Amino acid sequence: MPALTPYSMGIAPLAPSLDTVAASLPSPCHTELSEDFTGARIQYARCEPRQAPATTAAAPCRTFLPMQVPVEVQVFGGTVKQLHSEPDRVEFLEQNRAEAFWIELLDAVRPVGGCPKAQRTGDVPSEVEARMSCLGIGNRAPEGSDSPVSPSPDVPVNGPQPHDAGGKGRLSGFHMAQSLALPSTHLPHDTYAPGTMAALEYDLGWRALSPSWQAVMPHVDEASWLANPNPELFCAVGRAVLPHLSTDAQGGLLDDATVRIVSFHMHAGGLADCLSDATRSVERTDAEGQPKTVAAIELMDFVRDCAGPKWREWLATLPGEDGLTRRREACEAMGSTAPAAPLVAGGEVTPSDAGVATPRALTDTDDSVERAESDAISMPRERFSR
């Protein structure tokens, strides 16, 4: 509120005489300013209400999963469930919250033109949180609790997520990422950006050590973890276990959490596109016989095994010679949006952009890293709520 002065109250103040004004000024300005005050008028101040600042329009929602109905839920191309109402859509995503979080996380870090997406520290958690809110299943802590319930790092992705007694509590973004064995997405340093070897090693170390510390510390407090995330320990362990991860006869990773970790960082690092063949819509015929497009969710798309059998050749090698580091360096040399080598999806080579050129740094003929390509395979490793 403005101060009440004679001007603001509409009262004419007593005008000083010119002699008084001139006497109070330094002598060099005496004559000049005296003449300036000749014939001066009193100007009354006007109090105008302050205009409220213009509100910034909310950012438009952008999600990978459908935000509106109708939606068809499919398994291997066959419809198993139809979601005709908004409550049905939200309920289905609530039942598959971890899977929805996983898919939106993949899309949030999806490579651009085969190169890692340029993002700042903190962009990924905030973007995924916004996406979950747009889907109607935004994360929040249980009511009446200072911190959310922390799931075990070994909680299966498809398992029911912890809720409070009233069923209203939800996992925070950090605890959801922790349940997927991807805590590096919340590390506040660009060194551990998604798709870097440092982030991959951190998550692998977290996964390897989780059985030992979970018994004595079942709940991870986010604030305490951020104060000391202990990257030296987790990265050292992850670096040590990387060459010795269990595989099948074809070289594919066996542990589901490890598959998720390796697939995620190869995807974010531009070595694969886990979402290249994900089902998002199906063609149908309406009652009048006209073709129409209906949004769809393929349950098997929730299991994105993009690591493929060649992950060891790309990742388990000398420091600095791994595929993630070399791809990032090549992309940075050509610009963050420079196109990269074609990606392999479902056994067919599909260029990430028309007429792309492969970065020179990734076409070397050494044995450590081959041409940047990946098998984006959907494997039915887990069962989901239908």
Side-chain angles (χ1 to χ4, degrees):
M1 179 176 179
L4 296 178
T5 63
Y7 289 103
S8 62
M9 297 173 64
I11 303 175
L14 178 64
S17 64
L18 295 179
D19 293 340
T20 303
V21 173
S24 64
L25 297 172
S27 55
C29 301
H30 178 85
T31 304
E32 180 180 353
L33 289 180
S34 294
E35 295 174 354
D36 290 342
F37 275 96
T38 304
R41 290 188 306 172
I42 297 175
Q43 300 293 326
Y44 294 96
R46 299 176 60 185
C47 292
E48 299 289 346
R50 176 176 295 179
Q51 298 294 330
T55 56
T56 304
C61 282
R62 180 184 181 277
T63 63
F64 191 86
L65 295 172
M67 292 185 293
Q68 297 177 338
V69 292
V71 177
E72 291 192 10
V73 180
Q74 298 192 329
V75 175
F76 296 121
T79 300
V80 297
K81 192 172 186 177
Q82 293 182 336
L83 310 175
H84 295 290
S85 67
E86 184 64 11
D88 289 342
R89 183 192 65 85
V90 174
E91 181 183 4
F92 174 80
L93 293 179
E94 283 279 12
Q95 293 173 350
N96 296 277
R97 167 179 292 275
E99 293 88 347
F101 185 94
W102 165 240
I103 288 291
E104 296 301 333
L105 180 61
L106 285 176
D107 193 44
V109 301
R110 192 173 187 179
V112 179
C115 286
K117 187 177 179 181
Q119 292 170 316
R120 297 171 300 178
T121 300
D123 283 353
V124 173
S126 59
E127 180 176 345
V128 176
E129 180 181 354
R131 287 167 174 262
M132 297 291 280
S133 296
C134 289
L135 290 172
I137 54 174
N139 294 313
R140 61 181 174 83
E143 295 180 358
S145 174
D146 295 334
S147 59
V149 178
S150 174
S152 161
D154 292 323
V155 170
V157 175
N158 61 300
Q161 300 303 319
H163 283 63
D164 65 350
K168 298 180 181 179
R170 297 172 180 171
L171 296 177
S172 71
F174 166 73
H175 290 84
M176 184 68 75
Q178 177 200 338
S179 72
L180 298 177
L182 294 170
S184 68
T185 55
H186 283 253
L187 285 172
H189 200 289
D190 290 339
T191 302
Y192 303 95
T196 60
M197 279 300 294
L200 171 66
E201 292 169 350
Y202 188 95
D203 290 335
L204 287 177
W206 180 281
R207 168 63 179 168
L209 294 177
S210 60
S212 60
W213 57 256
Q214 180 188 348
V216 296
M217 188 177 59
H219 172 73
V220 180
D221 179 74
E222 182 176 0
S224 300
W225 173 78
L226 282 175
N228 182 23
N230 208 346
E232 294 83 3
L233 171 63
F234 288 113
C235 286
V237 173
R239 192 176 308 116
V241 302
L242 178 60
H244 308 288
L245 298 176
S246 299
T247 61
D248 56 23
Q250 289 73 37
L253 293 165
L254 290 176
D255 178 63
D256 287 339
T258 303
V259 169
R260 188 163 52 249
I261 294 170
V262 177
S263 295
F264 173 76
H265 288 292
M266 290 182 65
H267 167 81
L271 296 182
D273 187 350
C274 292
L275 301 176
S276 61
D277 60 347
T279 302
R280 305 187 69 181
S281 63
V282 292
E283 298 299 325
R284 293 289 182 260
T285 303
D286 60 18
E288 299 177 355
Q290 299 298 320
K292 67 175 182 179
T293 302
V294 180
I297 299 176
E298 171 63 55
L299 287 180
M300 291 302 101
D301 286 340
F302 283 150
V303 186
R304 310 304 298 172
D305 179 2
C306 311
K310 296 184 179 180
W311 65 269
R312 191 184 300 276
E313 302 174 36
W314 291 334
L315 304 178
T317 183
L318 297 175
E321 292 297 322
D322 59 274
L324 291 176
T325 302
R326 298 182 63 193
R327 169 55 64 95
R328 188 172 294 269
E329 290 176 349
C331 289
E332 290 176 352
M334 299 179 64
S336 60
T337 59
L343 302 174
V344 174
E348 296 181 1
V349 177
T350 56
S352 52
D353 271 319
V356 299
T358 303
R360 294 177 59 87
L362 294 176
T363 57
D364 297 340
T365 58
D366 60 39
D367 295 331
S368 60
V369 180
E370 296 184 3
R371 181 172 57 90
E373 56 184 17
S374 175
D375 297 325
I377 307 173
S378 297
M379 299 183 65
R381 291 176 175 269
E382 302 166 6
R383 301 178 61 186
F384 299 89
S385 302
R386 300 183 182 179

